[in-house]
Amino acid sequence: MSDLTHYIGGARVAGTSGRFADVYNPATGEVQSRVPLASAEEMDHAVQAAAAAQPAWAAVNPQRRARVMMKFVTLLNRDMDKLAEALSREHGKTLPDAAGDVQRGLEVVEYCIGAPQMLKGEFTDSAGPGIDMYSMRQPLGVCAGITPFNFPAMIPMWMFAPAIACGNAFILKPSERDPSVPLMLAELMEEAGLPKGILQVVNGDKAAVDAILDHPVIQSIGFVGSTPIAEYIYGRGCSNGKRVQCFGGAKNHMIIMPDADMDQAADALVGAGYGAAGERCMAISVAVPVGNDTADRLIAKLIPRIEKLKVGPYTAGKDVDYGPVVTAAAKQNILRLVQAGVDQGAKLVIDGRNFALQGYEDGFFVGPHLFDHVTADMDIYKKEIFGPVLSTVRAQSYEEALGLAMSHEYGNGTAIFTRDGDAARDFANRVNVGMIGINVPIPVPLAYHTFGGWKKSAFGDLNQHGPDSFKFYTRTKTITSRWPSGIKEGAALNFRPME
Ligand code: NAD
């Protein structure tokens, strides 16, 4: 068993705090390595290295900074298989899904190659007599990001690529569950030409996060993870005067109208409900068929599809639809909520509780579950399960279905399946959720749009990637400049509009 490291000042550095967390192979249940948990002192070393390196990086012209991103894209493609394998080994997701994790991060890196265009600023010639006005976007300095276990490649890249393209230094505190890929990404960025100290990885738990929250040099914090931690980081980070954006949990509803193509809807639900074992913030966890007849038809289509799902280790390659969940604790939490669903009166149509895989008895596998007749007061409806569990809530009308999505505390993503353009348009306009799919189950926006939920799924004003990311990672400065013509006007004592 090996000990992982941090990546500070351009080198892999052993942890010195004496504290470690076990990193599991979720398919076998074995501990495969230990990750060091940083102290506040170790975090401070990284911050000092970042602060020393950042001014020179900010002075590199944006086009040259963008070239590092171009080279990084080439290296990501070169190492795609290696990255996907390392990711699957710690996370448990299938190899194609792990490659997708890298790919959706890579696309944001590609978007950041456009940094020179995004950072151009604004200019007004002759805003007044002899007066020009211009604004520019300047980097913040040292930025930090705290990321979840479920996308260990994509979400770090969503943060560090725009931050670094804008001229900042970035400190990444990845999830302690799957820290290997973030370390590999930092090495690849340096191979792509990034100066030492501009991207660092400091592994850790709450102690490292608190050191970020309280460090006076760190200017901004990006967080993605569960809502209680998002609220904590947002509150403490903002009260310490930092710029903070936090993205939290989800409970994504898919409305199935009576006129929907039921085969298409059932296929979409199986992919969006059970892919990656349901460990996606954009997973569909609630199906809302409108009308009992729609519900009966949908359930009849879902059952054979779900029964056919193949659950297994990533090493089985294409023969597997989804893998284990990330830890034994995550598995216990899912099974506890399933039991609560049964106890509270939901109908468990497909029961995955006794799922077992020969040769992998100690792995964290959870079979697929399907609930029908779920109601809004049940724990399985109110809470994020983050597992392969799909709950069906029967609505009697479109308005009732819309109302369910709207009154849930989370508002990350939602979808409607229908052939009726009017219903789809009404839904997209009225629902209070950040990302909407129309006959698309997982509407994750592409890199050049922005990603973010509403309600308890996001805290802060700006979304991730797209144009918002360039706003989040820069400060605007506006200059009013006058080169006198020689005419003397005397002092102006009033605050007055430009003439
Ligand atoms: P988590 O909240 O447990 O951990 C996220 C990060 O916070 C990790 O780096 C972890 O080390 C740190 N952390 C954990 N406990 C902490 C504490 N007490 N104090 C300070 N820091 C702490 O989340 P997770 O289990 O890694 O990820 C799953 C969650 O992330 C789900 O709720 C999922 O919906 C959410 N998620 C949201 C989005 C989004 O864009 N909205 C995307 C992906 C995942």
Side-chain angles (χ1 to χ4, degrees), residues 146-150 155 173-176 204 206 209 223-226 229 232 247-250 281 384 386 412 451 457 464:
I146 300 152
T147 52
F149 80 85
N150 67 327
I155 294 176
K173 203 305 282 173
S175 169
E176 59 274 47
K206 181 170 163 49
V209 171
F223 170 86
V224 179
S226 59
I229 311 298
Y232 165 69
F247 299 88
C281 69
E384 181 179 43
F386 228 52
N412 213 38
F451 179 107
S457 294
Q464 301 199 81

PDB file of all heavy atoms in Angstrom, residues 146-150 155 173-176 204 206 209 223-226 229 232 247-250 281 384 386 412 451 457 464, ligand 1:
ATOM      1  N   ILE A 146     -12.485  23.536  -3.766  1.00  0.00           N
ATOM      2  CA  ILE A 146     -12.719  22.337  -2.939  1.00  0.00           C
ATOM      3  C   ILE A 146     -13.707  21.477  -3.721  1.00  0.00           C
ATOM      4  O   ILE A 146     -14.806  21.944  -4.051  1.00  0.00           O
ATOM      5  CB  ILE A 146     -13.292  22.755  -1.570  1.00  0.00           C
ATOM      6  CG1 ILE A 146     -12.307  23.674  -0.836  1.00  0.00           C
ATOM      7  CG2 ILE A 146     -13.636  21.532  -0.713  1.00  0.00           C
ATOM      8  CD1 ILE A 146     -12.961  24.643   0.124  1.00  0.00           C
ATOM      9  N   THR A 147     -13.341  20.246  -4.028  1.00  0.00           N
ATOM     10  CA  THR A 147     -14.130  19.481  -4.995  1.00  0.00           C
ATOM     11  C   THR A 147     -14.650  18.166  -4.410  1.00  0.00           C
ATOM     12  O   THR A 147     -14.088  17.631  -3.450  1.00  0.00           O
ATOM     13  CB  THR A 147     -13.295  19.232  -6.272  1.00  0.00           C
ATOM     14  OG1 THR A 147     -12.045  18.665  -5.910  1.00  0.00           O
ATOM     15  CG2 THR A 147     -13.068  20.531  -7.029  1.00  0.00           C
ATOM     16  N   PRO A 148     -15.725  17.613  -5.016  1.00  0.00           N
ATOM     17  CA  PRO A 148     -16.356  16.397  -4.500  1.00  0.00           C
ATOM     18  C   PRO A 148     -15.734  15.143  -5.126  1.00  0.00           C
ATOM     19  O   PRO A 148     -14.960  15.231  -6.081  1.00  0.00           O
ATOM     20  CB  PRO A 148     -17.797  16.561  -4.976  1.00  0.00           C
ATOM     21  CG  PRO A 148     -17.659  17.244  -6.300  1.00  0.00           C
ATOM     22  CD  PRO A 148     -16.464  18.147  -6.180  1.00  0.00           C
ATOM     23  N   PHE A 149     -16.164  13.992  -4.597  1.00  0.00           N
ATOM     24  CA  PHE A 149     -15.577  12.742  -5.093  1.00  0.00           C
ATOM     25  C   PHE A 149     -16.132  12.337  -6.449  1.00  0.00           C
ATOM     26  O   PHE A 149     -15.497  11.567  -7.170  1.00  0.00           O
ATOM     27  CB  PHE A 149     -15.841  11.605  -4.081  1.00  0.00           C
ATOM     28  CG  PHE A 149     -17.232  11.022  -4.187  1.00  0.00           C
ATOM     29  CD1 PHE A 149     -17.501  10.018  -5.116  1.00  0.00           C
ATOM     30  CD2 PHE A 149     -18.274  11.479  -3.393  1.00  0.00           C
ATOM     31  CE1 PHE A 149     -18.783   9.490  -5.241  1.00  0.00           C
ATOM     32  CE2 PHE A 149     -19.551  10.970  -3.512  1.00  0.00           C
ATOM     33  CZ  PHE A 149     -19.809   9.966  -4.447  1.00  0.00           C
ATOM     34  N   ASN A 150     -17.323  12.835  -6.843  1.00  0.00           N
ATOM     35  CA  ASN A 150     -18.018  12.160  -7.946  1.00  0.00           C
ATOM     36  C   ASN A 150     -17.527  12.551  -9.329  1.00  0.00           C
ATOM     37  O   ASN A 150     -17.767  11.809 -10.277  1.00  0.00           O
ATOM     38  CB  ASN A 150     -19.543  12.315  -7.816  1.00  0.00           C
ATOM     39  CG  ASN A 150     -20.024  13.720  -8.005  1.00  0.00           C
ATOM     40  OD1 ASN A 150     -19.325  14.663  -7.641  1.00  0.00           O
ATOM     41  ND2 ASN A 150     -21.191  13.885  -8.581  1.00  0.00           N
ATOM     42  N   ILE A 155     -14.592  18.416 -12.381  1.00  0.00           N
ATOM     43  CA  ILE A 155     -14.861  19.605 -11.562  1.00  0.00           C
ATOM     44  C   ILE A 155     -13.566  20.354 -11.213  1.00  0.00           C
ATOM     45  O   ILE A 155     -13.535  21.585 -11.331  1.00  0.00           O
ATOM     46  CB  ILE A 155     -15.745  19.262 -10.350  1.00  0.00           C
ATOM     47  CG1 ILE A 155     -17.125  18.849 -10.881  1.00  0.00           C
ATOM     48  CG2 ILE A 155     -15.863  20.453  -9.396  1.00  0.00           C
ATOM     49  CD1 ILE A 155     -18.114  18.384  -9.849  1.00  0.00           C
ATOM     50  N   LYS A 173      -8.116  21.617  -3.392  1.00  0.00           N
ATOM     51  CA  LYS A 173      -8.274  20.642  -2.291  1.00  0.00           C
ATOM     52  C   LYS A 173      -9.296  19.622  -2.786  1.00  0.00           C
ATOM     53  O   LYS A 173     -10.498  19.815  -2.670  1.00  0.00           O
ATOM     54  CB  LYS A 173      -8.770  21.376  -1.037  1.00  0.00           C
ATOM     55  CG  LYS A 173      -8.486  20.686   0.295  1.00  0.00           C
ATOM     56  CD  LYS A 173      -8.970  19.283   0.421  1.00  0.00           C
ATOM     57  CE  LYS A 173     -10.452  19.155   0.685  1.00  0.00           C
ATOM     58  NZ  LYS A 173     -10.921  17.727   0.627  1.00  0.00           N
ATOM     59  N   PRO A 174      -8.809  18.512  -3.376  1.00  0.00           N
ATOM     60  CA  PRO A 174      -9.749  17.541  -3.946  1.00  0.00           C
ATOM     61  C   PRO A 174     -10.395  16.685  -2.866  1.00  0.00           C
ATOM     62  O   PRO A 174     -10.007  16.741  -1.697  1.00  0.00           O
ATOM     63  CB  PRO A 174      -8.865  16.675  -4.836  1.00  0.00           C
ATOM     64  CG  PRO A 174      -7.459  16.971  -4.488  1.00  0.00           C
ATOM     65  CD  PRO A 174      -7.417  18.067  -3.475  1.00  0.00           C
ATOM     66  N   SER A 175     -11.356  15.888  -3.294  1.00  0.00           N
ATOM     67  CA  SER A 175     -11.958  14.933  -2.363  1.00  0.00           C
ATOM     68  C   SER A 175     -10.899  13.935  -1.895  1.00  0.00           C
ATOM     69  O   SER A 175     -10.090  13.455  -2.697  1.00  0.00           O
ATOM     70  CB  SER A 175     -13.090  14.170  -3.055  1.00  0.00           C
ATOM     71  OG  SER A 175     -13.492  13.094  -2.229  1.00  0.00           O
ATOM     72  N   GLU A 176     -10.951  13.614  -0.617  1.00  0.00           N
ATOM     73  CA  GLU A 176      -9.997  12.642  -0.086  1.00  0.00           C
ATOM     74  C   GLU A 176     -10.343  11.212  -0.496  1.00  0.00           C
ATOM     75  O   GLU A 176      -9.602  10.279  -0.222  1.00  0.00           O
ATOM     76  CB  GLU A 176      -9.884  12.776   1.440  1.00  0.00           C
ATOM     77  CG  GLU A 176     -11.170  12.575   2.233  1.00  0.00           C
ATOM     78  CD  GLU A 176     -12.006  13.858   2.370  1.00  0.00           C
ATOM     79  OE1 GLU A 176     -12.216  14.548   1.350  1.00  0.00           O
ATOM     80  OE2 GLU A 176     -12.473  14.132   3.492  1.00  0.00           O
ATOM     81  N   GLY A 204      -6.647  16.843   1.797  1.00  0.00           N
ATOM     82  CA  GLY A 204      -7.031  17.007   3.194  1.00  0.00           C
ATOM     83  C   GLY A 204      -8.507  16.888   3.430  1.00  0.00           C
ATOM     84  O   GLY A 204      -9.290  16.544   2.536  1.00  0.00           O
ATOM     85  N   LYS A 206     -11.530  18.499   6.649  1.00  0.00           N
ATOM     86  CA  LYS A 206     -12.051  19.768   7.182  1.00  0.00           C
ATOM     87  C   LYS A 206     -10.937  20.730   7.621  1.00  0.00           C
ATOM     88  O   LYS A 206     -11.043  21.948   7.441  1.00  0.00           O
ATOM     89  CB  LYS A 206     -12.998  19.466   8.346  1.00  0.00           C
ATOM     90  CG  LYS A 206     -13.625  20.699   8.966  1.00  0.00           C
ATOM     91  CD  LYS A 206     -14.727  20.309   9.928  1.00  0.00           C
ATOM     92  CE  LYS A 206     -15.122  21.431  10.868  1.00  0.00           C
ATOM     93  NZ  LYS A 206     -15.380  22.713  10.239  1.00  0.00           N
ATOM     94  N   VAL A 209      -9.730  22.498   4.642  1.00  0.00           N
ATOM     95  CA  VAL A 209     -10.769  23.418   4.151  1.00  0.00           C
ATOM     96  C   VAL A 209     -10.828  24.655   5.053  1.00  0.00           C
ATOM     97  O   VAL A 209     -10.883  25.796   4.566  1.00  0.00           O
ATOM     98  CB  VAL A 209     -12.138  22.701   4.090  1.00  0.00           C
ATOM     99  CG1 VAL A 209     -13.255  23.692   3.786  1.00  0.00           C
ATOM    100  CG2 VAL A 209     -12.112  21.589   3.035  1.00  0.00           C
ATOM    101  N   PHE A 223     -16.519  25.911  -4.514  1.00  0.00           N
ATOM    102  CA  PHE A 223     -16.823  24.644  -3.839  1.00  0.00           C
ATOM    103  C   PHE A 223     -17.891  23.902  -4.610  1.00  0.00           C
ATOM    104  O   PHE A 223     -18.864  24.501  -5.083  1.00  0.00           O
ATOM    105  CB  PHE A 223     -17.337  24.902  -2.407  1.00  0.00           C
ATOM    106  CG  PHE A 223     -17.888  23.649  -1.748  1.00  0.00           C
ATOM    107  CD1 PHE A 223     -17.051  22.764  -1.082  1.00  0.00           C
ATOM    108  CD2 PHE A 223     -19.248  23.339  -1.824  1.00  0.00           C
ATOM    109  CE1 PHE A 223     -17.552  21.591  -0.508  1.00  0.00           C
ATOM    110  CE2 PHE A 223     -19.757  22.181  -1.251  1.00  0.00           C
ATOM    111  CZ  PHE A 223     -18.905  21.306  -0.584  1.00  0.00           C
ATOM    112  N   VAL A 224     -17.727  22.584  -4.719  1.00  0.00           N
ATOM    113  CA  VAL A 224     -18.799  21.716  -5.210  1.00  0.00           C
ATOM    114  C   VAL A 224     -18.866  20.527  -4.261  1.00  0.00           C
ATOM    115  O   VAL A 224     -17.848  19.898  -3.971  1.00  0.00           O
ATOM    116  CB  VAL A 224     -18.538  21.242  -6.655  1.00  0.00           C
ATOM    117  CG1 VAL A 224     -19.658  20.317  -7.110  1.00  0.00           C
ATOM    118  CG2 VAL A 224     -18.418  22.423  -7.610  1.00  0.00           C
ATOM    119  N   GLY A 225     -20.067  20.213  -3.784  1.00  0.00           N
ATOM    120  CA  GLY A 225     -20.234  19.090  -2.854  1.00  0.00           C
ATOM    121  C   GLY A 225     -21.643  19.103  -2.306  1.00  0.00           C
ATOM    122  O   GLY A 225     -22.568  19.607  -2.953  1.00  0.00           O
ATOM    123  N   SER A 226     -21.810  18.576  -1.100  1.00  0.00           N
ATOM    124  CA  SER A 226     -23.155  18.476  -0.530  1.00  0.00           C
ATOM    125  C   SER A 226     -23.610  19.831   0.026  1.00  0.00           C
ATOM    126  O   SER A 226     -22.787  20.686   0.376  1.00  0.00           O
ATOM    127  CB  SER A 226     -23.167  17.412   0.567  1.00  0.00           C
ATOM    128  OG  SER A 226     -22.229  17.761   1.559  1.00  0.00           O
ATOM    129  N   ILE A 229     -22.362  21.332   3.565  1.00  0.00           N
ATOM    130  CA  ILE A 229     -20.975  21.838   3.531  1.00  0.00           C
ATOM    131  C   ILE A 229     -20.913  23.112   2.667  1.00  0.00           C
ATOM    132  O   ILE A 229     -20.183  24.058   2.972  1.00  0.00           O
ATOM    133  CB  ILE A 229     -19.998  20.758   2.987  1.00  0.00           C
ATOM    134  CG1 ILE A 229     -20.216  19.407   3.686  1.00  0.00           C
ATOM    135  CG2 ILE A 229     -18.550  21.210   3.150  1.00  0.00           C
ATOM    136  CD1 ILE A 229     -19.972  19.373   5.152  1.00  0.00           C
ATOM    137  N   TYR A 232     -21.967  25.951   4.781  1.00  0.00           N
ATOM    138  CA  TYR A 232     -20.912  26.272   5.753  1.00  0.00           C
ATOM    139  C   TYR A 232     -19.795  27.088   5.080  1.00  0.00           C
ATOM    140  O   TYR A 232     -19.362  28.124   5.581  1.00  0.00           O
ATOM    141  CB  TYR A 232     -20.372  24.960   6.346  1.00  0.00           C
ATOM    142  CG  TYR A 232     -19.070  25.099   7.078  1.00  0.00           C
ATOM    143  CD1 TYR A 232     -19.017  25.786   8.294  1.00  0.00           C
ATOM    144  CD2 TYR A 232     -17.895  24.543   6.575  1.00  0.00           C
ATOM    145  CE1 TYR A 232     -17.807  25.915   8.977  1.00  0.00           C
ATOM    146  CE2 TYR A 232     -16.695  24.664   7.248  1.00  0.00           C
ATOM    147  CZ  TYR A 232     -16.655  25.351   8.439  1.00  0.00           C
ATOM    148  OH  TYR A 232     -15.464  25.492   9.116  1.00  0.00           O
ATOM    149  N   PHE A 247     -21.633  25.050  -4.975  1.00  0.00           N
ATOM    150  CA  PHE A 247     -22.663  24.266  -5.657  1.00  0.00           C
ATOM    151  C   PHE A 247     -22.953  23.029  -4.820  1.00  0.00           C
ATOM    152  O   PHE A 247     -22.026  22.312  -4.432  1.00  0.00           O
ATOM    153  CB  PHE A 247     -22.190  23.918  -7.078  1.00  0.00           C
ATOM    154  CG  PHE A 247     -21.955  25.178  -7.868  1.00  0.00           C
ATOM    155  CD1 PHE A 247     -20.726  25.812  -7.841  1.00  0.00           C
ATOM    156  CD2 PHE A 247     -22.989  25.772  -8.550  1.00  0.00           C
ATOM    157  CE1 PHE A 247     -20.511  27.009  -8.503  1.00  0.00           C
ATOM    158  CE2 PHE A 247     -22.797  26.984  -9.228  1.00  0.00           C
ATOM    159  CZ  PHE A 247     -21.554  27.589  -9.198  1.00  0.00           C
ATOM    160  N   GLY A 248     -24.235  22.808  -4.535  1.00  0.00           N
ATOM    161  CA  GLY A 248     -24.615  21.783  -3.574  1.00  0.00           C
ATOM    162  C   GLY A 248     -25.364  20.615  -4.185  1.00  0.00           C
ATOM    163  O   GLY A 248     -25.235  20.302  -5.374  1.00  0.00           O
ATOM    164  N   GLY A 249     -26.188  19.986  -3.358  1.00  0.00           N
ATOM    165  CA  GLY A 249     -26.863  18.738  -3.721  1.00  0.00           C
ATOM    166  C   GLY A 249     -28.030  18.940  -4.673  1.00  0.00           C
ATOM    167  O   GLY A 249     -28.307  20.050  -5.152  1.00  0.00           O
ATOM    168  N   ALA A 250     -28.719  17.841  -4.964  1.00  0.00           N
ATOM    169  CA  ALA A 250     -29.753  17.891  -6.001  1.00  0.00           C
ATOM    170  C   ALA A 250     -30.802  16.813  -5.780  1.00  0.00           C
ATOM    171  O   ALA A 250     -30.559  15.816  -5.092  1.00  0.00           O
ATOM    172  CB  ALA A 250     -29.114  17.698  -7.371  1.00  0.00           C
ATOM    173  N   CYS A 281     -24.656  14.736  -9.699  1.00  0.00           N
ATOM    174  CA  CYS A 281     -25.534  15.807  -9.232  1.00  0.00           C
ATOM    175  C   CYS A 281     -26.618  16.102 -10.260  1.00  0.00           C
ATOM    176  O   CYS A 281     -27.588  16.772  -9.958  1.00  0.00           O
ATOM    177  CB  CYS A 281     -24.743  17.066  -8.937  1.00  0.00           C
ATOM    178  SG  CYS A 281     -24.087  17.812 -10.427  1.00  0.00           S
ATOM    179  N   GLU A 384     -31.468  13.729  -0.716  1.00  0.00           N
ATOM    180  CA  GLU A 384     -30.646  13.253  -1.829  1.00  0.00           C
ATOM    181  C   GLU A 384     -30.101  11.878  -1.444  1.00  0.00           C
ATOM    182  O   GLU A 384     -29.456  11.737  -0.411  1.00  0.00           O
ATOM    183  CB  GLU A 384     -29.494  14.237  -2.053  1.00  0.00           C
ATOM    184  CG  GLU A 384     -28.602  13.846  -3.203  1.00  0.00           C
ATOM    185  CD  GLU A 384     -27.470  14.845  -3.431  1.00  0.00           C
ATOM    186  OE1 GLU A 384     -26.858  15.298  -2.455  1.00  0.00           O
ATOM    187  OE2 GLU A 384     -27.197  15.146  -4.611  1.00  0.00           O
ATOM    188  N   PHE A 386     -28.232   9.791  -3.681  1.00  0.00           N
ATOM    189  CA  PHE A 386     -26.937   9.637  -4.354  1.00  0.00           C
ATOM    190  C   PHE A 386     -26.572   8.170  -4.532  1.00  0.00           C
ATOM    191  O   PHE A 386     -25.469   7.727  -4.218  1.00  0.00           O
ATOM    192  CB  PHE A 386     -25.842  10.384  -3.581  1.00  0.00           C
ATOM    193  CG  PHE A 386     -24.994  11.239  -4.485  1.00  0.00           C
ATOM    194  CD1 PHE A 386     -25.576  12.137  -5.357  1.00  0.00           C
ATOM    195  CD2 PHE A 386     -23.602  11.136  -4.474  1.00  0.00           C
ATOM    196  CE1 PHE A 386     -24.798  12.921  -6.206  1.00  0.00           C
ATOM    197  CE2 PHE A 386     -22.817  11.911  -5.311  1.00  0.00           C
ATOM    198  CZ  PHE A 386     -23.418  12.807  -6.183  1.00  0.00           C
ATOM    199  N   ASN A 412     -31.331  21.915  -8.981  1.00  0.00           N
ATOM    200  CA  ASN A 412     -30.172  21.814  -9.878  1.00  0.00           C
ATOM    201  C   ASN A 412     -30.605  21.615 -11.326  1.00  0.00           C
ATOM    202  O   ASN A 412     -30.425  22.479 -12.162  1.00  0.00           O
ATOM    203  CB  ASN A 412     -29.283  20.649  -9.424  1.00  0.00           C
ATOM    204  CG  ASN A 412     -27.815  20.926  -9.676  1.00  0.00           C
ATOM    205  OD1 ASN A 412     -27.375  22.059  -9.503  1.00  0.00           O
ATOM    206  ND2 ASN A 412     -27.068  19.918 -10.084  1.00  0.00           N
ATOM    207  N   PHE A 451     -22.944  26.529 -15.981  1.00  0.00           N
ATOM    208  CA  PHE A 451     -23.531  25.418 -15.233  1.00  0.00           C
ATOM    209  C   PHE A 451     -23.842  25.894 -13.822  1.00  0.00           C
ATOM    210  O   PHE A 451     -22.957  26.371 -13.117  1.00  0.00           O
ATOM    211  CB  PHE A 451     -22.518  24.264 -15.173  1.00  0.00           C
ATOM    212  CG  PHE A 451     -22.983  23.058 -14.405  1.00  0.00           C
ATOM    213  CD1 PHE A 451     -23.346  21.890 -15.065  1.00  0.00           C
ATOM    214  CD2 PHE A 451     -23.049  23.075 -13.011  1.00  0.00           C
ATOM    215  CE1 PHE A 451     -23.772  20.763 -14.360  1.00  0.00           C
ATOM    216  CE2 PHE A 451     -23.482  21.959 -12.301  1.00  0.00           C
ATOM    217  CZ  PHE A 451     -23.835  20.809 -12.976  1.00  0.00           C
ATOM    218  N   SER A 457     -29.311  24.328  -4.309  1.00  0.00           N
ATOM    219  CA  SER A 457     -28.280  23.657  -5.109  1.00  0.00           C
ATOM    220  C   SER A 457     -27.129  24.579  -5.461  1.00  0.00           C
ATOM    221  O   SER A 457     -26.145  24.113  -6.046  1.00  0.00           O
ATOM    222  CB  SER A 457     -28.896  23.094  -6.404  1.00  0.00           C
ATOM    223  OG  SER A 457     -29.807  22.068  -6.101  1.00  0.00           O
ATOM    224  N   GLN A 464     -20.670  28.130 -12.885  1.00  0.00           N
ATOM    225  CA  GLN A 464     -19.377  27.561 -13.281  1.00  0.00           C
ATOM    226  C   GLN A 464     -19.247  27.612 -14.802  1.00  0.00           C
ATOM    227  O   GLN A 464     -20.222  27.559 -15.528  1.00  0.00           O
ATOM    228  CB  GLN A 464     -19.280  26.110 -12.826  1.00  0.00           C
ATOM    229  CG  GLN A 464     -19.420  25.946 -11.336  1.00  0.00           C
ATOM    230  CD  GLN A 464     -18.872  24.618 -10.873  1.00  0.00           C
ATOM    231  OE1 GLN A 464     -17.677  24.454 -10.707  1.00  0.00           O
ATOM    232  NE2 GLN A 464     -19.761  23.669 -10.669  1.00  0.00           N
TER     233      GLN A 464
HETATM  234  P1  NAD B   1     -19.017  16.442   0.402  1.00  0.00           P
HETATM  235  O1  NAD B   1     -19.788  17.671   0.708  1.00  0.00           O
HETATM  236  O2  NAD B   1     -18.974  15.349   1.404  1.00  0.00           O
HETATM  237  O3  NAD B   1     -17.474  16.805   0.110  1.00  0.00           O
HETATM  238  C1  NAD B   1     -17.113  17.806  -0.805  1.00  0.00           C
HETATM  239  C2  NAD B   1     -15.800  18.415  -0.364  1.00  0.00           C
HETATM  240  O4  NAD B   1     -15.977  19.028   0.911  1.00  0.00           O
HETATM  241  C3  NAD B   1     -14.662  17.418  -0.225  1.00  0.00           C
HETATM  242  O5  NAD B   1     -13.484  17.979  -0.747  1.00  0.00           O
HETATM  243  C4  NAD B   1     -14.567  17.209   1.275  1.00  0.00           C
HETATM  244  O6  NAD B   1     -13.246  16.917   1.708  1.00  0.00           O
HETATM  245  C5  NAD B   1     -15.034  18.534   1.842  1.00  0.00           C
HETATM  246  N1  NAD B   1     -15.687  18.383   3.150  1.00  0.00           N
HETATM  247  C6  NAD B   1     -16.435  17.316   3.576  1.00  0.00           C
HETATM  248  N2  NAD B   1     -16.878  17.531   4.827  1.00  0.00           N
HETATM  249  C7  NAD B   1     -16.421  18.743   5.201  1.00  0.00           C
HETATM  250  C8  NAD B   1     -16.563  19.529   6.396  1.00  0.00           C
HETATM  251  N3  NAD B   1     -17.264  19.088   7.443  1.00  0.00           N
HETATM  252  N4  NAD B   1     -15.976  20.733   6.436  1.00  0.00           N
HETATM  253  C9  NAD B   1     -15.269  21.189   5.378  1.00  0.00           C
HETATM  254  N5  NAD B   1     -15.098  20.491   4.235  1.00  0.00           N
HETATM  255  C10 NAD B   1     -15.665  19.284   4.135  1.00  0.00           C
HETATM  256  O7  NAD B   1     -19.548  15.904  -1.010  1.00  0.00           O
HETATM  257  P2  NAD B   1     -19.178  14.559  -1.773  1.00  0.00           P
HETATM  258  O8  NAD B   1     -19.795  13.407  -1.056  1.00  0.00           O
HETATM  259  O9  NAD B   1     -17.722  14.512  -2.069  1.00  0.00           O
HETATM  260  O10 NAD B   1     -19.932  14.794  -3.164  1.00  0.00           O
HETATM  261  C11 NAD B   1     -21.281  14.498  -3.379  1.00  0.00           C
HETATM  262  C12 NAD B   1     -22.147  15.733  -3.242  1.00  0.00           C
HETATM  263  O11 NAD B   1     -21.718  16.720  -4.166  1.00  0.00           O
HETATM  264  C13 NAD B   1     -23.609  15.468  -3.597  1.00  0.00           C
HETATM  265  O12 NAD B   1     -24.418  16.162  -2.688  1.00  0.00           O
HETATM  266  C14 NAD B   1     -23.748  16.032  -5.001  1.00  0.00           C
HETATM  267  O13 NAD B   1     -25.046  16.414  -5.360  1.00  0.00           O
HETATM  268  C15 NAD B   1     -22.846  17.214  -4.905  1.00  0.00           C
HETATM  269  N6  NAD B   1     -22.419  17.664  -6.220  1.00  0.00           N
HETATM  270  C16 NAD B   1     -22.965  18.831  -6.684  1.00  0.00           C
HETATM  271  C17 NAD B   1     -22.613  19.297  -7.936  1.00  0.00           C
HETATM  272  C18 NAD B   1     -23.187  20.582  -8.454  1.00  0.00           C
HETATM  273  O14 NAD B   1     -22.670  21.105  -9.442  1.00  0.00           O
HETATM  274  N7  NAD B   1     -24.237  21.113  -7.864  1.00  0.00           N
HETATM  275  C19 NAD B   1     -21.705  18.580  -8.721  1.00  0.00           C
HETATM  276  C20 NAD B   1     -21.169  17.396  -8.206  1.00  0.00           C
HETATM  277  C21 NAD B   1     -21.533  16.959  -6.949  1.00  0.00           C
END
